[in-house]
């Protein structure tokens, strides 16, 4: 079985792939102080509670937090007796190399989403990921990542607004019933929600103009279903996109070593 680990700036997701499907997925806060022993205690307890006896033989990691990777490597070596594949490292190969400015480091999450998006939808694709940052990944006709856009994430913007304006409360992200708010909370919710709908639609429109060709748009990330309610720009919403990409990259590298 394969353990797929997606470590973002806010949360880290662990999923177990049995060869046909993901049989379990768990989420924890991303914390570089978390030791390998703590990870294993947490993970093995959750597996036991669900009655899962997984024989994990392979691990693949995508991490936007470099300091977390060391303890995840120790976890794999100590408890699963394997060396993890880490997306973005030289020994982790992609089906198609990214085409960006020389010396540019592309976030591993963006590479993984590119591979997964191309597998499911083909090329000429825009992947919108609602995470700590809201990212737009542009996938060429052959599946290569060719660049994109990084904007502040929804919750990041809310937190910044709350910190910068002491009189404004911290609110939850939700779709307001009307654009015109009649109280402070409703005004903030409208500004965030419809502001991000406008941001997504505007950036997608600009990318399509620059590419001068039809471009499909898919959304992923925890807030994707919420924003899908306010726009018809998404062709698909896929919450498991990153994990699907990790399985594909792991399979591609395994095939290379056995060829």
């Amino acid at each position: 079985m394969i353990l797929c680990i997606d470590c973002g700036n806010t949360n880290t997701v662990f999923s177990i792939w049995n060869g046909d499907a993901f049989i379990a997925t768990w989420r924890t806060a991303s914390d570089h102080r978390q030791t390998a022993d703590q990870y294993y205690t947490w993970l093995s307890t959750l597996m036991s509670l669900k009655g899962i006896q997984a024989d994990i033989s392979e691990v693949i990691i995508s991490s936007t937090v470099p300091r977390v990777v060391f303890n995840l490597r120790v976890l794999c070596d100590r408890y699963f007796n394997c060396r993890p594949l880490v997306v973005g490292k030289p020994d982790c190969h992609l089906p198609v190399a990214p085409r960006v400015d020389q010396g540019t480091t592309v976030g591993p999450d963006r590479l993984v989403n590119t591979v997964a998006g191309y597998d499911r939808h083909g090329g000429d694709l825009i992947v919108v990921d609602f995470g700590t940052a809201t990212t737009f990944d542009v996938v060429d006709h052959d599946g290569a990542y060719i660049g994109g856009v990084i904007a502040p994430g929804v919750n990041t913007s809310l937190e910044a607004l709350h910190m910068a304006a002491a009189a404004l409360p911290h609110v939850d992200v939700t779709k307001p019933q009307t654009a015109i708010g009649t109280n402070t909370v409703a005004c903030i919710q409208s500004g965030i929600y419809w502001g991000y709908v406008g941001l997504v639609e505007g950036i997608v429109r600009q990318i399509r103009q620059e590419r001068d060709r039809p471009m499909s748009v898919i959304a992923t990330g925890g807030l994707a279903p919420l924003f899908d309610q306010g726009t018809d720009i998404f062709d698909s919403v896929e919450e498991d996109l990153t994990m699907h990409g990790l399985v594909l990259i792991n399979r591609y590298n395994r095939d290379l070593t056995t060829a």
Side-chain angles (χ1 to χ4, degrees):
M1 293 188 182
I2 305 171
L3 175 62
C4 299
I5 304 175
D6 174 32
C7 179
N9 290 294
T10 304
N11 293 313
T12 300
V13 180
F14 292 72
S15 289
I16 298 176
W17 174 262
N18 69 357
D20 298 309
F22 287 106
I23 59 174
T25 297
W26 300 284
R27 185 181 302 265
T28 186
S30 297
D31 184 355
H32 70 275
R33 296 169 298 182
Q34 189 97 326
T35 68
D37 299 329
Q38 288 173 316
Y39 276 124
Y40 183 73
T41 301
W42 171 80
L43 185 61
S44 61
T45 299
L46 291 174
M47 291 170 61
S48 177
L49 288 173
K50 292 199 70 170
I52 296 174
Q53 296 182 347
D55 181 17
I56 295 172
S57 58
E58 299 173 88
V59 181
I60 181 167
I61 301 169
S62 168
S63 177
T64 58
V65 188
R67 288 198 292 175
V68 171
V69 175
F70 174 78
N71 284 329
L72 290 176
R73 285 184 181 274
V74 175
L75 167 72
C76 299
D77 178 64
R78 181 175 297 169
Y79 293 104
F80 303 129
N81 194 31
C82 70
R83 178 178 179 177
L85 193 63
V86 181
V87 179
K89 298 299 183 183
D91 61 342
C92 180
H93 302 282
L94 300 174
V96 183
R99 292 193 287 269
V100 293
D101 293 343
Q102 187 173 3
T104 299
T105 300
V106 181
D109 54 332
R110 309 183 76 176
L111 298 174
V112 173
N113 286 345
T114 293
V115 172
Y118 181 73
D119 178 71
R120 287 180 171 174
H121 302 276
D124 293 325
L125 182 70
I126 303 170
V127 181
V128 184
D129 189 351
F130 292 91
T132 305
T134 300
T135 59
F136 299 72
D137 304 324
V138 182
V139 185
D140 208 352
H141 65 93
D142 61 348
Y145 171 87
I146 57 171
V149 177
I150 300 175
V154 178
N155 286 310
T156 304
S157 296
L158 274 173
E159 191 65 31
L161 182 64
H162 174 64
M163 293 178 64
L168 297 180
H170 191 284
V171 302
D172 293 328
V173 183
T174 188
K175 181 184 178 183
Q177 294 183 346
T178 60
I180 302 173
T182 54
N183 57 68
T184 302
V185 169
C187 288
I188 295 173
Q189 288 175 332
S190 180
I192 289 294
Y193 187 84
W194 294 115
Y196 268 86
V197 168
L199 178 145
V200 170
E201 291 179 343
I203 290 177
V204 167
R205 181 173 59 250
Q206 186 63 31
I207 291 173
R208 282 172 166 168
Q209 288 178 357
E210 293 179 6
R211 296 289 292 161
D212 192 26
R213 68 187 67 183
M215 302 283 292
S216 300
V217 184
I218 61 174
T220 189
L223 292 175
L226 175 64
F227 283 93
D228 184 48
Q229 299 173 23
T231 180
D232 60 1
I233 203 165
F234 300 127
D235 296 290
S236 178
V237 176
E238 303 179 16
E239 297 181 66
D240 67 337
L241 190 70
T242 303
M243 287 300 168
H244 177 63
L246 287 173
V247 170
L248 292 174
I249 293 172
N250 188 79
R251 181 185 304 157
Y252 178 77
N253 281 266
R254 184 200 307 145
D255 291 345
L256 286 178
T257 59
T258 57

